[in-house]
Amino acid sequence: MSKLAVPALIISSLSIVSFSSLAEEVSNGGEFSGDAKVGFIYTKTDETSMSVNSGLTLKYEEDLWHHKAAFSTYYTKGNESDDGTNKNKTVYEIKYDMTDTFFVFGNAKYEHDQFATYREQALLVGGFGATLVDTSDSKLDIGAGPGYRYSKRQAFDEDLPRNSEDEVIANLFIEGESKITDGLEVGGGVRMDYGESNTTTTTHVYLKNKLMESLSLLIDAEYIYNSVVATGKEHDEIYSTISLNYDF
């Protein structure tokens, strides 16, 4: 079994264990929700360009437990001088409220990128957090803890082809959301995964405007900075999208 197979298997197992008993838990008073989004841009002038992004999120809340599983993709067709973008990400998060303010958390993340420095990355993180703001309209959480990261570079990497790293990391995050009006919501956060081989800082923001009962216009942006990248690759990654979002 490869090194990557172990964390990937753990991520899959966590999701299956948490949601396999969903029907039983819902009958005991839990709340299940989710949303799906899709965005598509196609242009044809001197060159043809196509961009697609999609995402699916599932949430389950019961008493002191909070579960969240999410999957997202980014795809952009490149031209002869540009590889484009082909990336997908799967995340599972769990949180347990110890008090009204403090909680413990765990999360697992797997990313696959066809063209960036790191073709595959798997992370497992756990720690403690605190809710700094919790009102009917706004919420703000912070947290930190240790974790594990496995990463593998591209086969075409000029510096370290197919090189893999597994290491202990430190994670910290801050995230929040605020309801401006009944139909307008903004939110975002910052996450840092610090390791000796590479430190990744991810910043994301979004604006969600309700169009009708379950349909919204979602504008979001994600900025990723890697401290160590391959020769010829940028330290920065920016993903900005406009999507239709359906809540259920």
Side-chain angles (χ1 to χ4, degrees):
M1 181 178 291
S2 67
K3 290 183 178 179
L4 182 59
V6 175
L9 180 60
I10 294 175
I11 293 172
S12 300
S13 300
L14 286 171
S15 300
I16 292 171
V17 169
S18 297
F19 287 95
S20 61
S21 59
L22 182 59
E24 179 182 351
E25 293 179 346
V26 169
S27 66
N28 293 332
E31 182 179 352
F32 174 75
S33 63
D35 63 74
K37 70 173 183 177
V38 62
F40 177 82
I41 299 173
Y42 176 83
T43 62
K44 182 174 177 59
T45 53
D46 294 335
E47 294 183 350
T48 299
S49 174
M50 181 177 67
S51 179
V52 179
N53 69 279
S54 62
L56 175 66
T57 302
L58 299 174
K59 296 180 181 180
Y60 182 73
E61 311 271 345
E62 185 188 19
D63 297 330
L64 305 177
W65 292 94
H66 311 272
H67 303 263
K68 179 181 177 181
F71 175 76
S72 60
T73 66
Y74 300 95
Y75 173 80
T76 301
K77 180 182 178 181
N79 53 41
E80 293 181 358
S81 60
D82 183 12
D83 292 328
T85 301
N86 190 345
K87 178 178 181 178
N88 62 71
K89 177 171 63 175
T90 303
V91 178
Y92 170 69
E93 301 175 354
I94 185 170
K95 184 173 76 170
Y96 176 77
D97 295 326
M98 297 185 297
T99 67
D100 291 340
T101 301
F102 298 102
F103 60 85
V104 293
F105 73 91
N107 64 66
K109 179 171 68 171
Y110 172 76
E111 292 183 343
H112 182 278
D113 197 314
Q114 194 75 14
F115 302 111
T117 295
Y118 301 96
R119 186 178 184 87
E120 295 174 302
Q121 292 193 89
L123 295 89
L124 294 171
V125 173
F128 294 91
T131 300
L132 303 182
V133 178
D134 190 6
T135 68
S136 59
D137 294 329
S138 302
K139 189 169 186 178
L140 181 65
D141 290 341
I142 62 171
Y148 164 83
R149 178 174 63 200
Y150 174 86
S151 58
K152 184 177 181 180
R153 291 207 182 195
Q154 302 283 359
F156 54 77
D157 192 313
E158 296 181 11
D159 307 313
L160 300 166
R162 294 190 177 91
N163 182 70
S164 62
E165 296 277 354
D166 56 320
E167 60 182 331
V168 174
I169 62 172
N171 167 270
L172 61 88
F173 71 87
I174 179 171
E175 59 183 14
E177 57 188 33
S178 182
K179 191 175 182 181
I180 307 302
T181 67
D182 288 340
L184 184 63
E185 178 183 328
V186 297
V190 179
R191 168 175 174 154
M192 177 181 289
D193 296 299
Y194 171 83
E196 290 187 4
S197 67
N198 178 45
T199 296
T200 301
T201 304
T202 303
T203 303
H204 73 277
V205 294
Y206 73 87
L207 185 149
K208 186 177 180 180
N209 185 32
K210 182 180 288 188
L211 302 176
M212 53 185 68
E213 185 61 28
S214 299
L215 191 66
S216 304
L217 179 67
L218 180 67
I219 302 173
D220 60 344
E222 184 177 52
Y223 172 80
I224 302 172
Y225 183 88
N226 287 294
S227 62
V228 177
V229 295
T231 300
K233 296 294 183 180
E234 298 290 336
H235 289 271
D236 309 88
E237 299 175 42
I238 299 176
Y239 304 91
S240 56
T241 64
I242 300 177
S243 314
L244 286 177
N245 192 91
Y246 178 77
D247 295 305
F248 56 87

